[in-house]
Amino acid sequence: MRPGLLLGIDEGTTAVKAALFDTELRPVAEARRRVAVTHPAPGRVEQDPELVLEAVLDAVAEVLEQAGGREVLAAGLDHQGESVLAWDASSGRALTPVVVWQDKRQEALLADIEPVAVEASGLPLDPYFSAGKLAWLLQNDHAVAVARDAGRLRLGTVDAFILERLGGRFATDLSTASRTQLLAVGGRDWDDALLSTFGVRREWLPAIGPTFGALGELRSERWPVALALTAQLVDQQAALAGSGAVHPGELKATYGTGVFVLGRTAGPVTARGLLPTVAWAAPDAAGGVGEVAHALDGGVFAAGALLDWLAEGLGLAADAPALAVAAAAVRDSGGVVILPAIAGLGAPWWLPGAHGVIAGLHAGATAGHVGHAALEAIAWRVADIVEAMASAVPVASVRADGGLSNDETLLRIQADALAVPLEVGSTDVTVRGAAMLAGVGAGIYASVEDAAQLLPRGRVIDAGAGPQVRGRERERWRSFVERAARL
């Protein structure tokens, strides 16, 4: 292995993390900056793009100071996927807030689109995806209209904004494009029919390129050196690589604001209620999109966000960690059941209009019981997705990562809800995946699979419940979802 370091930059929903790894993918240094998420009106979820960029600049500057004079060989940037914004092509100035993936302002707009019009994307009509958000901005934002009429409009995901501001390139990668609903399944460029459906012009969007390879440089006056950008992709795809789940049948579940389950497939696969997506795309000889790795995806839209809301929004505890402590102190939920649909119900149900439901309350129910019910709800929602994936590809294991994977109560419940082994790794797999793919793009590793052999394996948590108990509890959960989701 070459001496030197690899940099991962993880632009997540609530925080930016930058981390350095050696070429054995061992952590060397890290820095983290929180980024505020605001809710200016019901259904709206936003961030300040300048604060996101500032967090990237700060976090990277801090870890570069910790490099100790060692060369940074390459950098990888992952980002929060479906979130979008508009900016001015001339100045780079943001014209809108970041419209976060959880935002639902475009529900009425989507109601006027026939589902058949988006079949080519393989994705359901849902506010989760980028296309509806972009269409809403085009129809409703004055600054966007002015820039459009002046020929200065840029539209895109957060990675394209960061890259243009720091590197001068207006580009994204194929994994990101596969999350927008503007790319057909198996496609390699924006789809004309889907663009027309949402009223988006090709010239407003970034160019689509490979996930790794020579992608340009990132530069800032606050950094001592320019950074070779050799990987760029969605955060969940970065976590898939960083977890080591790089072969078909290996799933990863990242437990954070939501829970996102991804699993490699041998080619483009569709499955009821799941999303066909690009895992990553290698470059061809000319630097364009070459060989493509595919995956299936399913999202639980509220996990950490559910615990935050129960603790701070409803006042059940001082914060989410305190609620988790209360949940661990009780044996079970005491009959309380929660539908965690505070941002709609995602895969495999896809009911954006569903609302959160707390049922089974009684005089003996405590905050701990409600917290325990929330953990059960998260675990069963993940099990919903894993079961759906098993109908399309044989599932060998599920690898858990992310901040909530530190919660032993959740892990125990999750192991009981799954019919396959649960393997728990470190919480930093997303940023490590960005660095790892940067190493592939820089030629340090021969392939993604080669790099994954360096990753440590996690501990396996065995299920305490047998198949009969699991089956009975599963039917109880499914019956509750069917009733509660229609309220």
Side-chain angles (χ1 to χ4, degrees):
M1 293 291 178
R2 288 172 59 188
L5 301 172
L6 299 171
L7 172 64
I9 307 168
D10 172 25
E11 188 275 313
T13 306
T14 58
V16 169
K17 177 186 281 189
L20 291 170
F21 298 83
D22 65 21
T23 53
E24 297 290 332
L25 295 177
R26 295 173 298 210
V28 173
E30 71 171 53
R32 189 174 187 272
R33 297 291 187 274
R34 289 196 61 81
V35 181
V37 176
T38 61
H39 303 264
R44 297 197 179 190
V45 188
E46 297 179 351
Q47 288 178 308
D48 184 330
E50 298 299 330
L51 293 181
V52 172
L53 185 62
E54 186 72 14
V56 170
L57 293 172
D58 270 0
V60 171
E62 182 175 331
V63 294
L64 290 179
E65 287 182 1
Q66 300 176 53
R70 299 171 69 180
E71 180 187 6
V72 177
L73 303 172
L77 169 68
D78 73 70
H79 65 100
Q80 57 180 288
E82 299 76 13
S83 305
V84 302
L85 71 156
W87 63 100
D88 188 286
S90 298
S91 66
R93 179 178 59 86
L95 301 172
T96 68
V98 174
V99 182
V100 176
W101 54 270
Q102 298 161 308
D103 192 282
K104 294 187 174 300
R105 70 186 69 187
Q106 66 274 27
E107 278 189 294
L109 181 154
L110 296 179
D112 292 333
I113 297 176
E114 292 294 330
V116 69
V118 300
E119 280 186 353
S121 72
L123 309 177
L125 267 175
D126 192 273
Y128 176 48
F129 305 108
S130 307
K133 297 174 172 63
L134 296 175
W136 189 94
L137 291 175
L138 286 164
Q139 292 183 20
N140 295 279
D141 192 281
H142 176 70
V144 170
V146 170
R148 176 195 62 205
D149 295 344
R152 301 195 312 268
L153 180 60
R154 292 279 203 251
L155 295 174
T157 42
V158 182
D159 63 317
F161 172 71
I162 292 171
L163 183 54
E164 186 160 41
R165 286 286 291 267
L166 299 184
R169 293 178 63 249
F170 182 41
T172 191
D173 89 301
L174 194 67
S175 80
T176 303
S178 73
R179 316 295 302 175
T180 61
Q181 206 154 49
L182 297 174
L183 185 83
V185 175
R188 297 186 174 210
D189 201 358
W190 305 116
D191 183 83
D192 288 334
L194 293 169
L195 291 173
S196 177
T197 294
F198 290 98
V200 178
R201 294 182 190 169
R202 184 182 299 268
E203 60 264 30
W204 299 334
L205 296 172
I208 300 175
T211 300
F212 49 83
L215 305 180
E217 286 187 336
L218 300 180
R219 298 179 298 275
S220 169
E221 294 179 353
R222 293 161 59 179
W223 301 343
V225 294
L227 302 169
L229 181 70
T230 56
Q232 174 184 7
L233 73 166
V234 179
D235 54 4
Q236 299 309 320
Q237 275 81 335
L240 183 65
S243 72
V246 298
H247 302 99
E250 297 172 343
L251 274 55
K252 75 86 191 171
T254 300
Y255 295 74
T257 303
V259 185
F260 295 90
V261 183
L262 266 74
R264 277 292 320 280
T265 58
V269 173
T270 57
R272 183 177 176 273
L274 299 177
L275 310 178
T277 191
V278 170
W280 41 78
D284 62 16
V289 174
E291 184 179 357
V292 178
H294 296 273
L296 281 175
D297 169 76
V300 179
F301 293 161
L306 173 68
L307 300 177
D308 287 339
W309 174 71
L310 289 171
E312 298 170 28
L314 293 188
L316 295 183
D319 52 26
L323 184 61
V325 170
V330 296
R331 293 180 55 188
D332 54 35
S333 68
V336 179
V337 191
I338 293 178
L339 184 69
I342 59 174
L345 199 58
W349 311 90
W350 293 108
L351 296 171
H355 298 287
V357 174
I358 304 176
L361 294 173
H362 52 84
T366 66
H369 291 117
V370 176
H372 204 285
L375 298 179
E376 290 180 355
I378 294 166
W380 281 115
R381 287 288 293 111
V382 170
D384 289 338
I385 296 167
V386 173
E387 183 179 277
M389 286 195 175
S391 69
V393 59
V395 175
S397 63
V398 177
R399 302 184 184 188
D401 66 86
L404 281 184
S405 67
N406 287 319
D407 190 305
E408 289 294 325
T409 305
L410 173 60
L411 293 176
R412 175 177 54 78
I413 297 169
Q414 187 67 84
D416 286 347
L418 294 173
V420 294
L422 178 66
E423 184 176 319
V424 184
S426 64
T427 60
D428 65 350
V429 300
T430 303
V431 72
R432 183 170 60 188
M436 169 180 148
L437 289 170
V440 177
I444 295 167
Y445 314 119
S447 67
V448 176
E449 292 76 14
D450 180 62
Q453 295 181 31
L454 297 170
L455 300 173
R457 297 302 299 263
R459 61 190 175 99
V460 175
I461 298 184
D462 295 320
Q468 288 187 332
V469 173
R470 182 186 303 112
R472 184 170 63 248
E473 290 301 309
R474 176 143 209 67
E475 287 305 312
R476 173 175 171 266
W477 166 255
R478 283 296 182 106
S479 176
F480 170 68
V481 172
E482 293 290 354
R483 288 178 284 117
R486 308 295 175 179
L487 294 177

